[in-house]
């Protein structure tokens, strides 16, 4: 799979950190985990490809 690039909304990133105690910067490291299964799926309604990861 091609190298993934991440862009986060600053407000959403701050809310996620408060709510879950995990920054988006830290969360994106899971996509580099050698033991993770990285898949893509079309999103609705844009039909763009969205990566997700199973660990």
């Amino acid at each position: 799979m091609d190298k993934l690039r991440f862009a986060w909304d600053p407000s959403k990133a701050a809310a996620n950190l408060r709510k879950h105690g995990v920054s988006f910067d830290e969360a994106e490291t899971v996509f580099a985990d050698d033991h993770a299964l990285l898949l893509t799926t079309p999103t609705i309604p844009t039909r763009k490809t969205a990566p997700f990861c199973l660990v």
Side-chain angles (χ1 to χ4, degrees):
M1 179 169 284
D2 294 334
K3 176 145 174 62
L4 297 173
R5 292 178 294 151
F6 298 90
W8 307 120
D9 175 87
S11 297
K12 175 79 172 157
N16 190 76
L17 181 58
R18 283 191 305 275
K19 183 176 181 180
H20 302 290
V22 178
S23 70
F24 281 176
D25 289 332
E26 182 179 349
E28 76 181 49
T29 65
V30 73
F31 290 93
D33 186 324
D34 290 337
H35 301 289
L37 178 59
L38 184 58
L39 306 168
T40 58
T41 186
T43 59
I44 306 298
T46 63
R47 300 286 185 212
K48 292 182 181 178
T49 301
F52 68 97
C53 191
L54 303 174
V55 290

